[in-house]
Amino acid sequence: MRMLVRNLSVVHYEQLKAGADSERSLSFFINFLESNGCLVSQKPSHTDTERNLAEEVEATEDPVQDAKENEEDTEEEMDMEHPLQLSTSAIKISTKKVMEEAGLHKKHSADSQLLQGFRSYLEKTYSKSGIKHEVDNVSRWLYYVNPNEPSTSCIHDIERSMAFFHEIGASAASRATARNYMSGVKKFISYVTSEDQMLEEDPSLRGSISKFLKNITEVQKSICRGAGKEKYVGRTCTNPRECQEVLTLANSFFAEVIDRANSRNELQERDMTSMLFYLEALLILQHLQRPSVIQHMTVQQWLERTRYQSRSRDSVRAAVIKVKAATHHIVVLNEVEEMWFDTYFRFVRPAFIKRSSSGDKGYFFVSSKGTKIQNPTTDVHRFQERFNACLATGKEALHIFEKIIVSDSTPEDQELIKIYLSSDFNESNISEYMRAAMRVSELQRTWEQPSNSRYGEVPGTLEEKSSGKEVAYKTVENAFKVDLDSKGPTLKECRKISEMHGKYCYDRWRRQQTKCRLDAVIAHYKKEKPTASQVLNYLKLQGWSKHVPSVEEVLLHWEAREQPRREGDDSTIQSLVKSQKWQGLAIVDDPDKGQKVVTTKPFKKGDYICDYHGPLISAKEGEQRMRSVEQEEMGYLYFFMDRGNKRCCIDAQTVPCPCHRELGTTYGRKINHSRKKPNLKPTVKYFENDTRPHILFTAKKDIDVGTELFIIFDYGVTRKSFSGEGADLPWIDE
Ligand SMILES: [Zn+2]
């Protein structure tokens, strides 16, 4: 039997049965094998030993609804509560709703070959009941791991698969649900192992299967352990570790989501809300910030954050955000936290804002509906429930911090902490306040229970986990720019930068370059879809030897990417010119440049960004005005040719502009000039029923969130035209 365990990851039930002398020893063996990460295939469902671990009353998801099997869509069966359940706990939320909320409910069509094969395998091997249900569960797992198609390649993606089970375990769905999913997936795996053809097609599958099963066993154990935890819910927290428990528990999930966002993978609803809730919990429970700080922090304040480097020997770096709620507050983030906030700002916030009907109000933290956060305390509470963590509030966390940490600190620390907790700061003591803030979160993170700690993990370690990785990659990326033709680092070079994350950085760099090249190829065929051989030739021409996107990828992404240009949008653009309520832009103070315009949402190539706003005057009048102003202000006069080839000028010199007295300034005139890296280009635009030309800035390429906008303002040309040389240079792109 030990041999079996060592050599096999899949054991047939019949084989075991033949070797066992009694039912009892058979079930013992099965239990033993399964807890060692083996899979007992073709096991009749009544011997399902995991079932012993179930909370019987919760096992409502067991497939019982055979009568509905043949209906087109039996989704609703998920909603059917067990009668017993209904009578005992009417408030229990339906599993379907919970799964939907958690973003785990989407599945592939059952028509695919893979799922149909699995279905008939189940029909042959197991009793007839609940097959559709089981196929659906497996289909949801496949969808979660790879939304494109149901494929056995999901077995290779162990990290993502385990995240799926963890999420079910962490969601409000019952643990029995998680168990049912795992049991279905295990059956799927035994189906795959019974199909020689699949194993032949993908020789690495066997290795992954055995890894997969080991992992799933671990997850199963941890979820069962988690089940015992429920009795802690509602307990009062007694120490800083418990107050921040949710950060510890959500830690690896959060790290995974951050990682996924930064590698430009699509985030599910649950990933996004978790990222938001995590940051709120971090500010409230660890940084001891007031909820109002979360509500009032703005994008502007975030973009105008300053960097601070302590002069002490540890030379810690921090980002400082000044927030004005009822009083002034500052939020001090270490480098890793700043990266987390940035990830939220770039990938989550824009997705939420899109759903808001009232547009972007400029708050940094927004609800999943894109609106102002109503109640951060409730968000943190929901998050704690999601992870079965201690339900500490900010007030309690603060109280416990004062009671346990402050009283134990050195007099020096106590002085510092006092500064932080007084919370109203002024410019004169800002550096001291920053030191205090950093000391507080450090003390919070590193607090150890004096003895017999119930928790093995220090919350601080999560930073190393998620972000050692991020920091290492940033370093690699700085040293080796990801470019179409740049040469990437070798694995050895990556390992030199980070021994631990070298491989990760190496792989990620290669993926990034492939993606970059993919984008370039797609951009090359912007008008018409290329044929496979055209793409192949084009790829050959580039002379890329490694990290080359496949022809299939190019064709697939071409479809997805090329949406029709939005010609019908003219009336929207026209009304934006009128209202000047351009979305996704912020004018930010920059200590070096004065002011700049930064994006707060992503833009696609060709999108209209804003207009260069001001009254239209004749070129002659423009030149006259130019004579009367200081040299450096000349840039505010914008000369161009209208459609009748007449030179004219937009005067953005005068602020506020006569038609928008209520606005201090307009975006267009605040965009800085750059000859080297312009990401906008100007176009002359006419609207229906309006003879006046407008200058509109459009995106020259896709633009990320948090990017400064630049345009080539050809001051040189305007000056020359002023002095009469080259007066007719039409320097605007068509
Ligand atoms: Zn105006």
Side-chain angles (χ1 to χ4, degrees):
M1 196 55 68
R2 279 186 201 281
M3 282 292 286
L4 268 179
V5 178
R6 215 172 303 136
N7 297 324
L8 292 172
S9 51
V10 181
V11 186
H12 282 274
Y13 175 77
E14 290 302 324
Q15 270 180 305
L16 275 180
K17 202 176 166 194
D21 42 21
S22 68
E23 273 294 312
R24 233 184 119 200
S25 68
L26 178 64
S27 87
F28 170 79
F29 279 138
I30 292 175
N31 219 338
F32 173 75
L33 288 170
E34 287 185 333
S35 66
N36 280 287
C38 289
L39 177 72
V40 179
S41 77
Q42 314 207 340
K43 179 181 64 176
S45 53
H46 64 85
T47 58
D48 198 341
T49 46
E50 301 137 26
R51 198 144 301 178
N52 304 334
L53 301 164
E55 305 93 312
E56 289 301 334
V57 103
E58 274 198 302
T60 56
E61 257 226 297
D62 276 337
V64 284
Q65 304 294 326
D66 262 351
K68 297 185 98 184
E69 274 276 309
N70 296 326
E71 281 174 30
E72 238 343 89
D73 183 11
T74 51
E75 287 277 300
E76 286 307 311
E77 80 188 46
M78 302 270 298
D79 252 349
M80 300 278 288
E81 296 287 344
H82 197 284
L84 176 72
Q85 184 85 29
L86 272 181
S87 60
T88 52
S89 153
I91 51 159
K92 187 105 190 158
I93 323 158
S94 87
T95 307
K96 181 187 172 192
K97 276 213 193 85
V98 168
M99 295 287 285
E100 267 170 356
E101 207 173 61
L104 302 167
H105 200 257
K106 281 193 189 145
K107 61 179 189 218
H108 290 293
S109 143
D111 302 336
S112 72
Q113 210 188 342
L114 184 66
L115 287 168
Q116 278 187 350
F118 177 46
R119 188 191 178 102
S120 49
Y121 169 81
L122 289 177
E123 280 163 358
K124 265 186 283 175
T125 321
Y126 299 95
S127 70
K128 289 260 183 238
S129 85
I131 284 179
K132 162 143 176 45
H133 198 92
E134 212 138 36
V135 174
D136 283 350
N137 286 357
V138 165
S139 177
R140 284 188 189 99
W141 159 64
L142 291 170
Y143 186 92
Y144 180 88
V145 178
N146 177 4
N148 296 328
E149 51 166 1
S151 151
T152 52
S153 67
C154 294
I155 298 171
H156 297 304
D157 197 344
I158 291 172
E159 210 173 314
R160 181 97 180 125
S161 294
M162 296 311 133
F164 177 74
F165 300 124
H166 270 303
E167 281 203 50
I168 302 177
S171 75
S174 70
R175 298 222 152 61
T177 308
R179 254 192 24 263
N180 280 337
Y181 271 81
M182 284 190 249
S183 137
V185 169
K186 282 182 170 182
K187 283 181 189 165
F188 177 77
I189 298 234
S190 51
Y191 159 62
V192 173
T193 53
S194 74
E195 292 286 306
D196 291 340
Q197 202 196 334
M198 287 189 205
L199 295 173
E200 270 162 32
E201 274 169 15
D202 181 358
S204 59
L205 207 50
R206 273 179 208 278
S208 289
I209 285 178
S210 105
K211 253 196 243 157
F212 190 99
L213 291 172
K214 287 217 173 70
N215 276 281
I216 205 173
T217 308
E218 283 309 306
V219 172
Q220 205 157 10
K221 282 182 192 160
S222 87
I223 287 183
C224 287
R225 267 201 304 276
K229 268 201 129 152
E230 269 168 359
K231 64 176 181 286
Y232 289 111
V233 169
R235 71 193 189 271
T236 40
C237 306
T238 53
N239 64 52
R241 178 65 39 78
E242 284 179 347
C243 288
Q244 300 167 69
E245 187 184 36
V246 69
L247 298 175
T248 316
L249 293 175
N251 160 350
S252 57
F253 174 63
F254 178 72
E256 201 245 344
V257 174
I258 290 275
D259 192 33
R260 230 170 331 123
N262 285 313
S263 338
R264 311 282 163 131
N265 287 323
E266 205 181 309
L267 298 181
Q268 314 246 350
E269 183 68 24
R270 183 187 166 77
D271 300 337
M272 295 196 285
T273 54
S274 292
M275 204 193 287
L276 168 70
F277 290 170
Y278 190 96
L279 298 180
E280 290 185 69
L282 180 77
L283 286 180
I284 290 184
L285 301 174
Q286 193 180 91
H287 288 242
L288 303 173
Q289 290 284 359
R290 288 159 200 212
S292 64
V293 170
I294 289 172
Q295 287 180 294
H296 291 102
M297 183 174 155
T298 65
V299 167
Q300 190 85 29
Q301 290 158 353
W302 163 251
L303 292 171
E304 289 176 354
R305 69 192 182 276
T306 49
R307 296 269 155 59
Y308 164 83
Q309 179 136 23
S310 75
R311 267 176 241 122
S312 58
R313 64 198 143 76
D314 49 359
S315 77
V316 194
R317 275 189 291 179
V320 177
I321 310 154
K322 293 178 197 168
V323 180
K324 190 176 181 327
T327 51
H328 291 273
H329 295 266
I330 65 173
V331 173
V332 180
L333 303 176
N334 65 32
E335 278 180 288
V336 170
E337 291 164 342
E338 185 185 3
M339 183 277 290
W340 291 344
F341 275 59
D342 186 51
T343 307
Y344 158 81
F345 177 61
R346 290 196 296 146
F347 301 106
V348 176
R349 188 180 179 278
F352 287 169
I353 287 291
K354 253 194 219 162
R355 304 167 184 172
S356 156
S357 51
S358 54
D360 191 346
K361 301 267 185 249
Y363 291 109
F364 183 79
F365 290 109
V366 292
S367 74
S368 58
K369 294 194 187 92
T371 53
K372 187 178 176 184
I373 300 270
Q374 286 304 319
N375 191 341
T377 306
T378 319
D379 286 354
V380 171
H381 188 92
R382 276 174 66 192
F383 196 49
Q384 287 163 327
E385 282 188 329
R386 225 182 235 188
F387 282 89
N388 259 323
C390 237
L391 302 175
T393 63
K395 265 189 198 147
E396 281 161 353
L398 179 63
H399 179 70
I400 284 170
F401 175 79
E402 285 176 323
K403 203 170 92 186
I404 294 183
I405 297 186
V406 178
S407 60
D408 248 9
S409 303
T410 61
E412 202 188 352
D413 273 345
Q414 288 190 359
E415 276 307 305
L416 262 182
I417 290 167
K418 219 190 271 166
I419 298 173
Y420 185 73
L421 296 184
S422 71
S423 124
D424 196 5
F425 87 102
N426 53 55
E427 292 289 338
S428 65
N429 70 354
I430 189 160
S431 77
E432 211 167 22
Y433 191 91
M434 279 184 297
R435 273 207 305 139
M438 298 194 65
R439 186 71 188 131
V440 167
S441 56
E442 193 187 336
L443 286 169
Q444 282 274 70
R445 270 186 290 124
T446 55
W447 185 84
E448 287 281 0
Q449 199 152 32
S451 62
N452 295 335
S453 171
R454 200 159 56 82
Y455 304 94
E457 214 167 347
V458 184
T461 55
L462 89 117
E463 290 179 7
E464 280 108 61
K465 228 160 140 188
S466 85
S467 310
K469 242 173 161 179
E470 265 321 303
V471 170
Y473 183 72
K474 281 268 136 61
T475 317
V476 169
E477 213 182 34
N478 285 339
F480 300 90
K481 200 167 172 312
V482 183
D483 226 322
L484 274 187
D485 295 304
S486 53
K487 196 175 162 296
T490 60
L491 182 56
K492 211 167 146 197
E493 283 165 325
C494 288
R495 289 233 163 96
K496 219 185 263 168
I497 288 171
S498 163
E499 179 61 42
M500 195 171 168
H501 304 297
K503 177 77 169 66
Y504 165 81
C505 295
Y506 177 66
D507 290 338
R508 182 159 157 196
W509 196 98
R510 295 191 305 167
R511 279 203 303 272
Q512 294 286 93
Q513 187 173 52
T514 314
K515 166 118 195 332
C516 170
R517 289 176 168 175
L518 177 69
D519 290 343
V521 179
I522 290 168
H524 178 76
Y525 295 103
K526 54 181 166 236
K527 296 248 161 63
E528 242 172 272
K529 186 175 179 177
T531 63
S533 66
Q534 278 173 324
V535 174
L536 192 66
N537 281 333
Y538 184 78
L539 287 172
K540 268 190 200 149
L541 270 177
Q542 306 309 309
W544 297 326
S545 57
K546 285 182 250 166
H547 323 151
V548 188
S550 71
V551 174
E552 292 73 34
E553 263 179 302
V554 173
L555 296 177
L556 195 73
H557 283 89
W558 192 94
E559 300 277 6
R561 206 75 60 85
E562 277 320 294
Q563 308 131 342
R565 269 271 147 265
R566 289 167 247 163
E567 294 299 347
D569 271 3
D570 269 17
S571 62
T572 320
I573 300 299
Q574 194 172 11
S575 73
L576 282 167
V577 169
K578 220 174 245 164
S579 68
Q580 285 298 302
K581 289 192 171 139
W582 297 100
Q583 295 283 300
L585 304 174
I587 299 170
V588 172
D589 277 325
D590 184 298
D592 303 326
K593 295 184 190 165
Q595 286 185 318
K596 60 185 180 185
V597 180
V598 175
T599 53
T600 63
K601 68 169 207 174
F603 288 98
K604 284 253 163 263
K605 183 175 174 177
D607 280 350
Y608 289 109
I609 308 290
C610 65
D611 63 334
Y612 192 80
H613 190 79
L616 180 75
I617 55 179
S618 71
K620 208 173 153 196
E621 202 182 336
E623 278 155 19
Q624 266 167 17
R625 285 191 195 180
M626 201 183 310
R627 258 178 234 123
S628 64
V629 295
E630 297 291 321
Q631 285 276 311
E632 60 267 26
E633 279 190 89
M634 282 174 196
Y636 288 123
L637 289 160
Y638 200 109
F639 293 87
F640 65 102
M641 299 274 220
D642 70 4
R643 59 182 162 191
N645 275 342
K646 203 177 87 199
R647 284 183 70 236
C648 36
C649 175
I650 283 175
D651 171 21
Q653 189 86 43
T654 326
V655 277
C657 94
C659 51
H660 292 91
R661 297 223 169 267
E662 74 287 0
L663 296 174
T665 186
T666 49
Y667 291 115
R669 64 193 299 280
K670 285 293 173 191
I671 293 173
N672 287 319
H673 160 84
S674 166
R675 187 172 291 285
K676 281 193 192 132
K677 43 178 179 178
N679 42 19
L680 302 183
K681 65 173 195 180
T683 37
V684 183
K685 176 103 188 147
Y686 287 88
F687 296 110
E688 228 173 283
N689 308 321
D690 181 7
T691 52
R692 185 206 141 139
H694 296 268
I695 296 294
L696 276 152
F697 293 159
T698 59
K700 258 172 99 90
K701 49 185 164 193
D702 291 357
I703 301 175
D704 269 349
V705 179
T707 311
E708 177 173 0
L709 296 176
F710 290 107
I711 195 147
I712 304 178
F713 279 120
D714 223 322
Y715 296 86
V717 174
T718 43
R719 257 185 228 125
K720 265 187 215 147
S721 67
F722 165 54
S723 60
E725 301 162 40
D728 289 315
L729 270 182
W731 52 269
I732 279 179
D733 294 353
E734 271 316 300

